[in-house]
Amino acid sequence: MVKISDFQTKEVVNILDGKRLGQIADLEIDLRQGRIEAIIVPGPGKFLGFFSSGNDYVIPWRNIVKIGKDVVLVRVEEPIRLDSRQSSAGDE
């Protein structure tokens, strides 16, 4: 089993181009189904999810290839970008 706090320390890397996307900042969880739908990685220029007006990467759980000790490998053609202002509106 993995704790969310342990999960957030892992680097997310896209296996298609080797690009480091950053570290996991948040998760999208389907409470009705009891499963994780996506991981959210702060967009370029953000530090721990703060100090930027950029967008976040939302990577569907199905795109995770492997969860290792220090790295989460994902396969994404182009990460879905979510405007940070839109993400907080859906939390109500």
Side-chain angles (χ1 to χ4, degrees), residues 21-61:
L21 301 177
Q23 291 182 322
I24 298 168
D26 209 350
L27 303 172
E28 283 187 359
I29 301 173
D30 181 342
L31 295 177
R32 291 186 180 146
Q33 299 292 323
R35 65 179 176 213
I36 299 171
E37 292 292 318
I39 58 174
I40 300 173
V41 178
K46 283 195 175 181
F47 176 72
L48 299 175
F50 301 107
F51 308 121
S52 175
S53 61
N55 296 331
D56 296 333
Y57 295 117
V58 179
I59 303 166
W61 187 261

Side-chain angles (χ1 to χ4, degrees), residues 60-74:
W61 187 261
R62 67 181 174 274
N63 290 55
I64 294 177
V65 175
K66 177 93 172 159
I67 299 173
K69 182 179 177 185
D70 300 318
V71 176
V72 176
L73 300 177
V74 297

